[in-house]
Every structure is written in C-alpha cells, then in structure tokens.
Amino acid sequence: MRIDPDKCVACGNCLPVCPVGAIHIDPDIGRAVVNEDQCVECFACFRGMSKEHLNPVMVRTIRRIARFFRFRFDPEPDICPTDAIVPQELAWPRIVRRAFSDPQVPHESTGIHGRGTAEVKTNDVTDRVKEGEAGFVVEFGRPGVGARFRDIQRVTSALADCGVEFEKNNPVTSLMTDASRGLIREDILNEKILSAIVEIKTGLERVPLILRKIGELSREADTVISVGVSTRCDGMGNDALRAILEREGYPMYRGKTNLGLGRVTI
Amino acid sequence: MTNTLHRYSEHYAFERTPNPQPIKDDYIVFAMASRGLNDDNLVEKYRSFLRLALKYHPVNIGDASKGGMLQPRQDMNPTAHWRRDHTADPERVIAGIEGHTTVAAVFDNYQAMKDFVGEVERAALGISVNISAPMDDARRCCEETGITRHSVEYSIGFRGRVDKLPDGTTLELSTMCGHGMVSANFARKMIEWVKENRRSPEEAACYMARFCICGVFNIHRAERIFKEACILKR
C-alpha cells in the first residue's frame, strides 16, 4: 500500500486505522507514508475508510488557516478526504502478505476467505475431526500484532519434531517445502502477515502434551499466538475435551458450537 | 470465521480476574457451506438464513466477503462531517451475496439467538450452522431447542508476546473483528473521543463497525464498552 503524496493532506485519519501501526506522518515532507516493511497489505486503510474526493490544495489551505488560529476541526475519523490511499501491484513474495492479511482474498489452496480454514465449522459434513480426536488451531499474529513466517516456522518445525501432522488443506501447509519437518519455503520467511493459522490433529489423549508444547514454544516466538482446540461430540452432544481443558486449567469460556444441521446435498 | 473465536473478555485476562462478568450481549450464529458437498443453490440458502435472522433483530449481519450492515462509502461529500448517515442497510448485505462465503448474524440477547436457532433448524437449509458465543449459553440453547451438538471448538486464549497487546478494554473492542481489521489504535482513539464527548458511544461504534469486513462487529456491545469506559467502570 502507498499513500499518494500529491493527494495526501496529512490529516492523520489513516494512522490509527492501520492494524499494525505502519503509517506515520513524515515531518520532512508533511505527508503520511507507509512503512513498507511493516505493512501487511491487509487493505484495511484502503477499503475500510470512506472517501471524499476533495481538492488537496484546497484542503491543505483550509488546514493551514485552521492551524494558524489553533482551531480544532473535528472531522469524521474514518474518511480519507482526498482518496490518497493507493494499492500497489504486488509481486511474489510480497503478495503472500495480502493473501494472509486481507480477509476478502480467498486462499488459493482452500478457496476459503479470511484465514482460509474450515476447522470444525463444517465438520458435520466433512467429518474432519472425529470423536476421540482433537483439532488444534494455532494462530500466529492475532490479535493485531502480525507475524513473520520465520516465527511461524520456529514453532512448526518444533511441533513436527513432536510427530504432529499438519492439516493438508490449509494455507500455511500449502507453503511448506517439507511438512514432515514443518519447513516453510525460504523466500517468504521474512514476509510479515496479519495472521496465519496452523492446523494439526491428534488424539484427545495428546491434548495436554501438545498444549504444553505450544505454550513453551510461544515464549520463543516474537508474536502473539491464539489457540483453539476442537473435537467432535458423542451421540448425546457431550464432548470429552472440556474435562481435559478444565483439568489442565485453560480458560474456555468462549467457543464455537457446530449444530450438526449441515448435510450433503450434492 | 475463526474470526469470532477469540473475542477477548475478562475471562481471558493475562492476570486472572476473580469472578469475571459473563458476556450477555454477544451471540453470533453463522452459516457456511462446503464446496461440492452442500453448495447447491447456495446464494438462496445464505439469503434465506439472513432473512430469517432479520426477524429477530440482529445488531449486525454480514457476508464475509462483502461486509456488514454498515459499510464504508466511496462517494462521501463534505456534509458528512456534520450529518453522517449511520443507518444500517441489511438488505444491501443480503442482495450482495454472490456465492461462497460465510454469513453471520449477531444478536445482543440470548433469547433472540435461541429463537433464531430454532427457526434455522426448522428451515433445514442443509448448510453448516454454528453458534459462536459463551460455551455454556450455546449448550443451553441446544438443549432448549432440542439440537444435539455435533462439534465444539474452545478458545483457550492468547500466548507468547502478550506484552505487545493493548489493555483489556481496547482488546475487547478490537477483537470483535477477529480478522484484525478494527485496529487497536483506532479503538483507543474512539474511547478517548467518547470520553471527551467529541462523539457519542453510538457514533464511535458505527465508525468501528465499518472496518469489520465480515459484519460480526457487535455494535451494541461496543456501545456498552464505551459507556463503561467513560464512567471508569473498567
């Protein structure tokens, strides 16, 4: 993403809306600029802000007069007055940033928007996680911190050493060069993204071990990791996972419940 | 729609709070189809789902690929700074559905969520339907509507460099868009603006909702958080 210096009036509205804080006003040029290394190409600024199409020279003049008299104008905080935010054409490997950061872009590997995962949301028709199994959703960079693939690989390679198997139908797995060792292709390791989900599946009995391992590894990662664990309920709607998590002392106030209303219709 | 899994509340505080308050105004029901399994006549199924939701007055509905009831506009004119239109447009969401996506409805009370779930079950749309909410409430809803839970997914919170995260109030607002499109800095700015009486809690919530691309931002919960932040109840 870039900000057109000919249009920008340095109103500052786009600064706080950037999820990773990659925009600032450069005092030398008096315009907003995007830190390309930090920008994750999520398009939140471009798409989320409403736009006026005012004349930049006129807006700058008004702002200069107001500043001289120390007037405070209270503009709407989510509007770019001159439509100055411009998406750039992205090439490999930078394009990976957008694929993992802009929820409107469906992942090529799964065809799913957002982070590209189905987890147990469609388990009633896919039967991906069975009774007695646990599905782990390990998300790097969320909420709002961002992550580099280098950090993700540090964890995936250590998890692979524990003998876990990564979900094949997953955007991160599709970028691995050697899934058995949790290795991600080298040319994207420095790319920063808003968040990415690694999915693994084990037997329920391994849940405490895997969660402890993720806890240990998370201390070495230079980002935040959000973790979700899922399972299939028995015929009475009870799940064996709850007792395990309770025993291990994990918070589990919130979650998702698949109601089992889906059916194969094709 | 992992998007709704990690909505922050005191229950996930890094230093555990004794007796955190239950969240009673944030219930999401969403639907998703699987390619090649039940995506026939998909647009109509999704539209039916959202039309049924509208009967129970959701605080937001959304199509994950297009946005929610409040969306940014490309054609603003300067009068917006004095007379901003914050009218929600659910029909635009429904009409905009084109194919594969996830559709969601957000409710601010248990009863509305439960009544909607009951109606969705009777409608037998054939697509996967999930509740994203406090697990005990979701379980109670299933029991009261006679639904047997198929699968569950628990959020067990955040790990790693949690020192990079903002304070709890800001997180509670920003994580209502799990895709991270509602920035923590913007949430912080809106809290300050409401405190300074530069904007009302309702207006601040509407600004934030426009950034949430899948329409799961709970405008009513955000208003409550702003009001509580103003009187230092948090």
Side-chain angles (χ1 to χ4, degrees):
Chain A
M1 196 62 64
R2 68 180 278 273
I3 294 170
D4 184 344
D6 294 332
K7 286 186 173 180
C8 178
V9 296
C11 69
N13 273 356
C14 57
L15 271 65
V17 307
C18 173
V20 291
I23 308 176
H24 72 283
I25 305 281
D26 184 335
D28 293 336
I29 59 171
R31 304 282 189 272
V33 291
V34 178
N35 179 329
E36 278 205 25
D37 182 51
Q38 293 298 322
C39 173
V40 293
E41 304 291 355
C42 67
F43 279 51
C45 54
F46 174 73
R47 191 186 39 237
M49 297 187 82
S50 294
K51 294 174 183 79
E52 293 172 296
H53 304 272
L54 303 179
N55 181 311
V57 177
M58 179 192 75
V59 178
R60 283 187 206 115
T61 306
I62 294 171
R63 287 176 57 82
R64 226 171 273 138
I65 295 168
R67 193 167 54 198
F68 178 80
F69 289 107
R70 292 283 191 267
F71 286 162
R72 189 175 75 177
F73 169 52
D74 241 2
E76 290 289 269
D78 61 335
I79 293 179
C80 176
T82 52
D83 192 13
I85 303 167
V86 190
Q88 287 171 288
E89 194 146 318
L90 302 173
W92 184 269
R94 192 170 177 88
I95 199 165
V96 174
R97 296 187 182 222
R98 187 171 183 205
F100 281 85
S101 306
D102 180 354
Q104 271 199 334
V105 178
H107 283 271
E108 272 180 36
S109 57
T110 61
I112 300 173
H113 290 85
R115 293 177 191 82
T117 58
E119 305 140 43
V120 292
K121 294 173 286 195
T122 53
N123 206 35
D124 47 353
V125 289
T126 60
D127 201 25
R128 227 186 99 210
V129 179
K130 298 179 176 58
E131 235 183 292
E133 292 181 335
F136 295 80
V137 182
V138 187
E139 186 163 357
F140 296 80
R142 176 179 176 178
V145 172
R148 296 199 189 255
F149 279 101
R150 195 177 304 284
D151 284 311
I152 299 172
Q153 181 177 259
R154 204 168 287 150
V155 177
T156 52
S157 57
L159 284 173
D161 289 345
C162 296
V164 304
E165 202 176 307
F166 299 103
E167 162 67 27
K168 288 184 180 65
N169 196 24
N170 171 283
V172 176
T173 313
S174 74
L175 292 171
M176 287 183 180
T177 49
D178 185 350
S180 66
R181 293 165 61 205
L183 298 180
I184 297 170
R185 47 185 300 170
E186 200 147 327
D187 53 351
I188 64 164
L189 289 181
N190 200 38
E191 295 303 322
K192 184 175 178 179
I193 51 161
L194 200 49
S195 79
I197 290 179
V198 170
E199 290 176 282
I200 51 181
K201 198 169 73 170
T202 67
L204 275 175
E205 71 287 350
R206 294 193 75 196
V207 168
L209 173 79
I210 299 294
L211 288 182
R212 268 197 291 275
K213 189 73 188 169
I214 292 170
E216 285 165 22
L217 294 169
S218 68
R219 285 181 213 119
E220 295 162 27
D222 189 29
T223 187
V224 180
I225 299 176
S226 314
V227 184
V229 197
S230 62
T231 192
R232 182 178 174 161
C233 302
D234 65 18
M236 302 293 287
N238 297 313
D239 73 276
L241 179 60
R242 187 186 179 97
I244 298 170
L245 296 175
E246 208 158 35
R247 196 173 58 232
E248 296 289 318
Y250 292 104
M252 46 182 188
Y253 180 69
R254 197 176 176 93
K256 285 185 298 201
T257 303
N258 184 319
L259 303 181
L261 303 182
R263 61 179 192 280
V264 176
T265 54
I266 294 177
Chain B
M1 204 52 68
T2 322
N3 187 20
T4 61
L5 184 61
H6 301 292
R7 281 160 108 94
Y8 180 87
S9 66
E10 277 184 320
H11 306 83
Y12 292 99
F14 310 121
E15 287 173 24
R16 295 283 175 86
T17 337
N19 306 318
Q21 290 295 308
I23 306 297
K24 292 291 178 192
D25 56 0
D26 194 19
Y27 302 95
I28 301 155
V29 185
F30 67 88
M32 188 177 184
S34 297
R35 281 176 199 274
L37 295 175
N38 56 0
D39 58 351
D40 53 320
N41 202 17
L42 186 57
V43 171
E44 207 37 56
K45 286 175 180 176
Y46 281 155
R47 285 185 176 154
S48 302
F49 178 87
L50 290 182
R51 285 210 185 284
L52 290 176
L54 290 184
K55 288 167 66 177
Y56 301 96
H57 311 293
V59 294
N60 204 352
I61 62 169
D63 163 353
S65 62
K66 295 280 180 62
M69 296 205 300
L70 283 165
Q71 294 181 18
R73 291 182 55 172
Q74 306 302 310
D75 57 346
M76 304 295 287
N77 70 58
T79 60
H81 294 283
W82 291 270
R83 288 184 307 172
R84 185 76 179 269
D85 182 8
H86 291 300
T87 313
D89 189 357
E91 288 303 328
R92 180 181 174 183
V93 178
I94 294 171
I97 298 171
E98 289 178 322
H100 271 282
T101 182
T102 307
V103 291
V106 186
F107 299 93
D108 64 357
N109 67 88
Y110 173 81
Q111 191 62 41
M113 183 263 293
K114 190 188 89 174
D115 292 345
F116 173 54
V117 165
E119 181 139 5
V120 166
E121 190 207 8
R122 289 190 292 278
L125 298 171
I127 45 181
S128 299
V129 177
N130 292 249
I131 295 175
S132 181
M135 291 303 279
D136 289 345
D137 286 343
R139 183 175 193 137
R140 181 158 68 98
C141 173
C142 289
E143 287 166 1
E144 290 176 358
T145 50
I147 291 171
T148 305
R149 300 187 309 166
H150 184 280
S151 307
V152 289
E153 181 168 13
Y154 294 94
S155 163
I156 61 165
F158 310 108
R159 273 147 195 71
R161 293 290 307 274
V162 292
D163 56 300
K164 291 189 173 192
L165 295 175
D167 63 280
T169 303
T170 305
L171 259 187
E172 214 168 313
L173 287 166
S174 64
T175 56
M176 280 200 278
C177 171
H179 287 129
M181 296 293 104
V182 175
S183 106
N185 286 333
F186 192 57
R188 217 178 277 125
K189 176 175 174 176
M190 288 299 99
I191 292 169
E192 291 307 314
W193 275 33
V194 173
K195 278 185 176 176
E196 293 171 10
N197 197 29
R198 293 169 74 174
R199 291 295 188 277
S200 68
E202 294 78 8
E203 287 170 321
C206 288
Y207 295 136
M208 296 185 75
R210 287 193 181 88
F211 285 89
C212 174
I213 194 65
C214 53
V216 296
F217 189 85
N218 184 330
I219 297 164
H220 283 196
R221 184 179 174 192
E223 285 176 30
R224 171 176 63 76
I225 294 168
F226 284 129
K227 286 173 187 165
E228 288 175 359
C230 279
I231 55 171
L232 298 178
K233 256 190 90 180
R234 48 173 61 237

